[in-house]
Amino acid sequence: MVDLIPREHLFGNPTRYGHQISPDGRRLGWVAPYEGVLNIWSAPIDDLDAAAPVTTDRRRGIDAYAFAYDGRHLLYVQDADGDENHHLYAVDLTTGERRDLTPIPGIAAAIVGLSRIVRDRVLVAINDRDPRFHDIHSVDLATGARSLVVENPGFAGFLIDERYAVRFAFRNLPDGSSQLIARDGANWKPWLTFPPEDARVSGAENLDAAATALFCRDSRGRNTAALTRIDLASGETRVLAAHEEADIGAVLQDVETHEPVAYSVTHARKSWHVLDPRFADDFAFLETQGLGDWYPASRTEDDALWIVVARADTRVGEAAIYDRRAKSLRSLGSARPELEGAPLAPMCPSIIRSRDGLDLVSYLTRPLDAQGPGPLVLLVHGGPWARDSFGFDGIHQWLANRGYAALSVNFRSSTGFGKAFLNAGDREWGRRMDDDLSDAVAWAVAQGVADPARVAIMGGSYGGYATLMALTRNPEAYACGIDLVGPANLETLVRTIPPYWEAMRAQLHRAIGDPDTEEGMALIRERSPVYFADRIKAPLLIVQGANDPRVKKDESDQMVAAMERGGIPVTYLLFPDEGHGLVRPANRLAFFARAETFLARHLGGRCEPIREAESSGTSMQVVREG
C-alpha cells in the first residue's frame, strides 16, 4: 500500500511560486510564506540568497503582483477577508515604502495597464463614482496623484494603447451580443459586433504598438475562435491562426510591436504553435526539456530572459529562468519540494461521449494500486465558463492517494472547445449540463473504474451548484456530496451579483433565465436546488465563506434551512474570514481534514488523522453537524 501524503504537503502553503522577472531583468519576484502567511518576496537575479519580503501581511496573504516599468516599484492588489474590494498598492523596492494608490473605502480597483512608454504611471480601474462601472484613472507611481482618463457610462471595459489613449470600449447588449465601440473625440460609435452566439468566445484582445492594427479572437462564421488581425485604416481582416477542435488559447506577443509570435491550443493537452520564425528555436528547445504543458509566465523588456513554468501531472509548479541567447534553463525549484519522491499518480486525459453526441474532454486520476472498480469522486469545476486541463492537481492527488479515482469533466458550457459546445449549456443548468456529469459517471462504471454504489460529487461555485442539483435530480446516484460556495437559488444569485458585474447581467440571463420575466422565473425555479431539497438522500457537506460577494452566504443558509425543514441531515461549515473560496492555509487544511473524514465515512477510503495544525488557527464554525 502506498504511503499517505500529508494533507499539509498538498494544501498547506507552497514553498514559493508565482515567479516574475522585472522588465529590466535585474530582479525576481515570487510568492512565499512570511511568518506563515503568503507574501511577495524579491531578490536581485544574481543573488537570490538576498531575498527579502516586499510585503508583510499577517492575515490573509497576497499573491497578485506586477513589476512596474520604472525599475523601482512593485504593484499588488489585496482585499479584506475575501470581499473582493481590492485596493492597489505600490511598494518602492529601494526604500520599502508602501502606498495605497486607491485609498477609497468600499471600492474595487484593478490594474488596467502598464506601459513601456508611460513608465511613471499606472492605469487603474476604480468604481468610486458608480459601484457598477469602473472609470479609468492614471496614477503617478511615486506620488499617488490620480487623474481621470475616461468616465465609464456603462461599458464592460476599455481598450487602451501604450500611450494610455482610450481607443475602444466594450459594451454588452441586452440580447447577449457584445459590441466594440470606437472612440471618436468625445463621441463613441459602434465599430464591431459579436452576435450572442459568439460573444462569450469572441472579443478584441489588444492593439499593436503603433495602434494601427487590432487583434481579436473571432468565432464568427466558424465554430472555434480564430486569432485575427484587423487593419484599423482599411478594415481588412486576416486570420492568423485557427484550430478545428479548440479555441485559440494563450497568445505570446512581440515585446516591442505587440504582434503575435506564437499561440497555444488546448484540447486534451496544450500545444504551442510558432507564427514568427525568430522564435522557432526557442519553442523547439523548450519542448525537449520535459516540462509537460509548460507556459511562459514572465519576460524581460528586451525579451532575453523568460520565466517558464512546467505544468505536468506529477511535477509541481517547477519554474525556471530561460536564457534565450544561451538556450539554457536555470531552475528556480518546485512550489512544493516536500512532494518530491511522494507517490503521485498520473493523470490520464480521456474523451467521454455524451448521450447526445458531444465530446467531453475529461481527466482521470486513479490510485496507484487500483485494481478493478473502486470509489470515485466526480469533481465539477466552477464558472461554469471555465475548464479543467492537464497538469498537477492537488485535489486529484489527494483523492487518488486516499484510494479514490478522481474524475474532472469539461461538461457543456466549459470554455475552449468552440461556441457550439459553450452555448449548448444555455438554459441547461441542472439539466443537460447535469446529464453530462451523469454520462461521465456511467463511462467510469463501464470502464471498470468506478463502483456505482460508491460515487461522490464535489465542486465549488458552479461546481457547488452542480453538486446540489445532482443530489436532488439523481438522489440514488451518489453516495455523498460536497458543495463549496455553491448557489442554491438562481433567482437570489442573479439579483445579488456584485454591482460591478452589471455589464454581464445579460449573459447571465441568457444562460439561466431572466427573473423579471414569467418564462425566465419559471425556468429559474425549476433549476434551483433549494426548491427540491426534500429529494436529497445522500449525506451532504456544505461549505461557505461569510464574505463571498458572488455567491452570498444566504445561498447556503437557504439550502440548509430547506433541508432542516424536511428533516434531512446536512453538515454546514462557515468560515467568517473567507469569501469565494478558502485562502487562509489554516482554513484550507481544516476544510480538507473535514472533507477527508466525510469521504472516508461514506466511500470507505483512507483517512489521515487530523493534525494539531489543522485544528488550530482556523476560523471554521460548525453551524450544523449532520
Side-chain angles (χ1 to χ4, degrees):
M1 183 175 290
V2 299
D3 293 338
L4 278 178
I5 301 173
R7 280 185 298 268
E8 190 169 6
H9 291 182
L10 291 164
F11 304 118
N13 278 332
T15 297
R16 62 169 64 181
Y17 71 101
H19 291 84
Q20 293 188 42
I21 192 166
S22 62
D24 59 15
R26 295 179 179 177
R27 299 190 70 84
L28 284 183
W30 60 85
V31 178
Y34 172 76
E35 296 186 0
V37 178
L38 291 176
N39 277 276
I40 303 165
W41 291 64
S42 184
I45 195 169
D46 55 0
D47 188 10
L48 298 187
D49 291 337
V54 174
T55 63
T56 55
D57 183 70
R58 290 175 171 82
R59 182 170 175 81
R60 183 167 177 80
I62 302 165
D63 68 354
Y65 72 99
F67 284 103
Y69 278 97
D70 67 353
R72 182 160 184 162
H73 289 92
L74 183 144
L75 305 170
Y76 69 93
V77 294
Q78 187 178 27
D79 69 354
D81 288 341
D83 64 5
E84 297 186 13
N85 289 328
H86 292 95
H87 282 222
L88 174 63
Y89 298 86
V91 178
D92 188 315
L93 293 171
T94 302
T95 66
E97 179 189 5
R98 187 191 77 148
R99 182 186 303 107
D100 184 352
L101 298 181
T102 54
I104 310 162
I107 57 95
I111 296 175
V112 174
L114 292 166
S115 170
R116 297 177 307 131
I117 296 173
V118 190
R119 293 173 176 262
D120 59 341
R121 305 184 72 84
V122 58
L123 278 189
V124 187
I126 310 175
N127 63 340
D128 58 334
R129 181 187 57 82
D130 184 332
R132 299 171 301 168
F133 306 114
H134 286 74
D135 300 329
I136 307 299
H137 299 261
S138 172
V139 180
D140 188 286
L141 293 169
T143 67
R146 178 162 55 108
S147 59
L148 180 68
V149 174
V150 61
E151 188 173 288
N152 188 345
F155 298 142
F158 298 91
L159 194 61
I160 297 163
D161 69 19
E162 274 208 310
R163 290 172 173 77
Y164 290 170
V166 178
R167 298 298 185 125
F168 293 95
F170 307 102
R171 179 166 60 190
N172 294 329
L173 301 180
D175 66 353
S177 60
S178 64
Q179 198 170 61
L180 190 64
I181 306 170
R183 192 179 195 186
D184 184 12
N187 301 315
W188 298 92
K189 59 181 181 181
W191 194 79
L192 178 63
T193 299
F194 296 104
E197 62 270 20
D198 296 286
R200 285 198 294 259
V201 174
S202 304
E205 292 291 315
N206 68 280
L207 295 158
D208 69 347
T212 59
L214 175 68
F215 300 96
C216 298
R217 285 180 171 83
D218 193 345
S219 63
R220 292 174 301 165
R222 53 183 298 116
N223 179 39
T224 56
L227 177 63
T228 63
R229 184 184 193 277
I230 305 175
D231 184 277
L232 296 182
S234 67
E236 178 190 1
T237 300
R238 183 159 50 96
V239 175
L240 302 180
H243 192 277
E244 287 303 311
E245 291 185 305
D247 301 323
I248 298 299
V251 177
L252 195 71
Q253 301 170 10
D254 184 280
V255 294
E256 293 186 2
T257 67
H258 300 332
E259 294 270 352
V261 299
Y263 66 93
S264 70
V265 172
T266 305
H267 190 246
R269 294 286 301 269
K270 176 181 288 187
S271 60
W272 283 98
H273 306 267
V274 177
L275 293 170
D276 188 325
R278 294 176 301 158
F279 292 80
D281 289 347
D282 299 298
F283 283 83
F285 171 79
L286 291 168
E287 290 292 346
T288 66
Q289 300 304 300
L291 302 175
D293 291 9
W294 65 275
Y295 61 93
S298 180
R299 298 152 70 194
T300 55
E301 189 176 356
D302 63 4
D303 217 16
L305 301 175
W306 295 1
I307 302 293
V308 297
V309 179
R311 181 161 171 76
D313 50 353
T314 57
R315 294 180 65 176
V316 191
E318 295 181 32
I321 300 173
Y322 168 52
D323 186 321
R324 292 186 65 205
R325 297 187 181 100
K327 294 293 183 291
S328 64
L329 285 174
R330 172 187 172 190
S331 175
L332 296 172
S334 167
R336 297 186 180 276
E338 62 271 25
L339 289 177
E340 292 178 11
L344 301 178
M347 173 183 280
C348 301
S350 300
I351 309 297
I352 300 172
R353 183 60 62 90
S354 74
R355 66 190 66 180
D356 58 349
L358 296 182
D359 286 342
L360 311 177
V361 175
S362 305
Y363 301 92
L364 174 68
T365 304
R366 300 191 69 184
L368 288 174
D369 54 0
Q371 294 182 356
L376 175 138
V377 179
L378 178 66
L379 298 168
V380 189
H381 69 66
W385 303 312
R387 65 157 294 166
D388 291 307
S389 57
F390 179 84
F392 178 82
D393 186 303
I395 295 179
H396 270 242
Q397 295 296 340
W398 167 62
L399 291 171
N401 184 254
R402 273 35 176 184
Y404 313 110
L407 180 61
S408 294
V409 182
N410 284 306
F411 48 87
R412 69 192 71 206
S413 265
S414 300
T415 55
F417 305 100
K419 66 185 181 187
F421 190 82
L422 187 147
N423 293 330
D426 284 349
R427 305 297 178 102
E428 296 295 342
W429 286 40
R431 286 301 179 269
R432 290 185 179 177
M433 291 163 75
D434 179 64
D435 288 345
D436 291 345
L437 301 176
S438 296
D439 292 346
V441 172
W443 171 87
V445 171
Q447 294 291 313
V449 170
D451 173 357
R454 292 191 291 165
V455 177
I457 182 169
M458 173 179 176
S461 194
Y462 174 85
Y465 162 83
T467 296
L468 298 177
M469 203 64 205
L471 295 185
T472 64
R473 189 168 182 243
N474 310 297
E476 307 291 344
Y478 298 99
C480 61
I482 300 176
D483 151 38
L484 176 64
V485 296
N489 184 333
L490 297 184
E491 179 188 7
T492 51
L493 172 73
V494 174
R495 294 198 188 282
T496 62
I497 59 173
Y500 44 84
W501 282 22
E502 184 63 33
M504 66 173 289
R505 186 181 293 276
Q507 292 196 7
L508 280 173
H509 289 172
R510 178 179 171 84
I512 64 178
D514 183 349
D516 293 326
T517 68
E518 184 176 348
E519 176 191 9
M521 191 62 216
L523 183 68
I524 280 173
R525 287 186 66 89
E526 180 186 307
R527 307 295 170 81
S528 294
V530 70
Y531 297 114
F532 309 103
D534 60 339
R535 299 180 183 177
I536 294 178
K537 296 182 179 180
L540 175 61
L541 173 62
I542 292 178
V543 184
Q544 180 68 46
N547 304 314
D548 191 340
R550 309 184 199 185
V551 178
K552 301 278 196 301
K553 174 177 172 289
D554 182 55
E555 295 295 318
S556 291
D557 290 348
Q558 289 181 69
M559 193 68 193
V560 171
M563 296 182 71
E564 288 178 334
R565 285 193 297 272
I568 303 168
V570 60
T571 297
Y572 182 20
L573 307 180
L574 180 67
F575 291 85
D577 55 356
E578 297 284 6
H580 197 63
L582 304 179
V583 171
R584 294 186 59 230
N587 291 338
R588 286 199 309 273
L589 290 170
F591 161 69
F592 280 107
R594 286 296 299 247
E596 185 168 309
T597 301
F598 180 82
L599 291 172
R601 183 185 310 132
H602 301 296
L603 293 185
R606 300 195 297 168
C607 187
E608 178 191 12
I610 295 178
R611 299 170 182 265
E612 181 179 350
E614 296 169 319
S615 57
S616 64
T618 178
S619 69
M620 184 178 73
Q621 298 175 358
V622 182
V623 179
R624 182 174 175 83
E625 187 78 72

